[in-house]
Amino acid sequence: MLVAAAVCPCPPLLVPEVAAGAAPELDALRAACTDALGVLAASRPDLLVVVGPAEKSGRGTHPEGTRGSFGGFGVDLDVCLGRPDAAGASPDAAATDTGAGGADPVRELPTSLAVAAWLLERTGWSDAPVEGLGVGEPLEAERCVQVGEQIGARAPRVALLVMGDASACRTLKAPGYLDERAEGFDAEVARALGAADVEALKALDVSPAYELKAAGRAPWQVLAGAAEGAGLGGALLHDDAPYGVGYLVAAWS
């Protein structure tokens, strides 16, 4: 059963070495992510599942000990999902049907899960075993919810770390340019995350989310499936769009 969840964005700029001179601009976001992970630790989970958007090569399950790198962003920095000595474990993950194959310990973490691994290392996570799941952007809402339901049944006390950005169309200089729908879309997602509104997250429309480049849509709907019937309350910890991309942080417990 799901006992807690943290929702964080996944820009590589969260990692100070990647952000370089711009690192201080996201200090408040990093602090909010730390607070959200504290809620996970306080829930005393038996299992932590990290869910994030992934391109085709990164979809499916990633066992504890899987490594990731920020070398593609010009930074010589590697991370590890959970305990390094757990590499090669074979998780009984709930969601291999996520647009790609199942667990493969040889693969590197997709960027979203590498950012999550960095957050977990930064906060010294040692509270429970960790598994990763990369979900594809095209995954339909119904399947996302089913995946979440399966994750929630994995252990008596399951926690989720859900990675994903809101829209990338908030300003003229945003990655997706300005789209007048973006602010309203992000506001509704922020409300739903802050209220732990499972039904509102389930109802997010795939097409507008895709058009607005909201990479968090599928992971949020996985969360909605896992949280069904769990009776969790939510708190919105951060809501900003410093680069024209919506960055939301929330904690459910």
Side-chain angles (χ1 to χ4, degrees):
M1 180 176 181
L2 188 71
V3 295
V7 179
C8 297
C10 54
L13 290 175
L14 260 182
V15 181
E17 291 87 342
V18 176
E25 297 176 13
L26 295 183
D27 280 347
L29 176 58
R30 294 186 193 97
C33 291
T34 298
D35 291 343
L37 265 64
V39 172
L40 298 184
S43 72
R44 306 187 310 281
D46 301 312
L47 172 68
L48 173 64
V49 180
V50 183
V51 182
E55 298 297 329
K56 187 170 294 186
S57 63
R59 295 173 192 169
T61 56
H62 298 267
E64 185 165 25
T66 303
R67 296 189 173 276
S69 171
F70 293 97
F73 301 96
V75 174
D76 184 17
L77 176 65
D78 294 334
V79 292
C80 180
L81 186 66
R83 298 174 295 119
D85 59 357
S90 180
D92 179 24
T96 56
D97 180 16
T98 52
D104 181 356
V106 175
R107 297 184 299 160
E108 278 199 348
L109 295 171
T111 299
S112 66
L113 299 190
V115 173
W118 177 83
L119 285 171
L120 291 169
E121 288 183 4
R122 179 174 183 260
T123 55
W125 179 268
S126 61
D127 299 271
V130 184
E131 295 174 7
L133 177 66
V135 293
E137 184 280 330
L139 196 64
E140 61 273 17
E142 182 179 357
R143 180 58 186 145
C144 290
V145 171
Q146 291 172 350
V147 167
E149 291 172 346
Q150 293 165 356
I151 290 174
R154 290 282 312 284
R157 300 183 65 82
V158 177
L160 275 179
L161 173 53
V162 182
M163 308 297 292
D165 301 342
S167 73
C169 302
R170 293 280 292 272
T171 66
L172 292 173
K173 294 184 178 181
Y177 197 65
L178 176 65
D179 189 311
E180 294 181 354
R181 299 172 296 170
E183 187 171 355
F185 176 90
D186 288 356
E188 171 56 17
V189 172
R191 186 206 64 77
L193 291 175
D197 189 338
V198 169
E199 295 305 318
L201 293 177
K202 285 183 179 181
L204 290 174
D205 195 321
V206 175
S207 294
Y210 175 78
E211 293 165 2
L212 295 172
K213 302 184 183 301
R217 190 275 308 169
W220 298 330
Q221 290 183 319
V222 171
L223 167 61
E228 183 72 44
L232 302 183
L236 187 67
L237 306 182
H238 189 86
D239 179 359
D240 200 5
Y243 307 115
V245 182
Y247 295 152
L248 303 171
V249 180
W252 292 17
S253 63

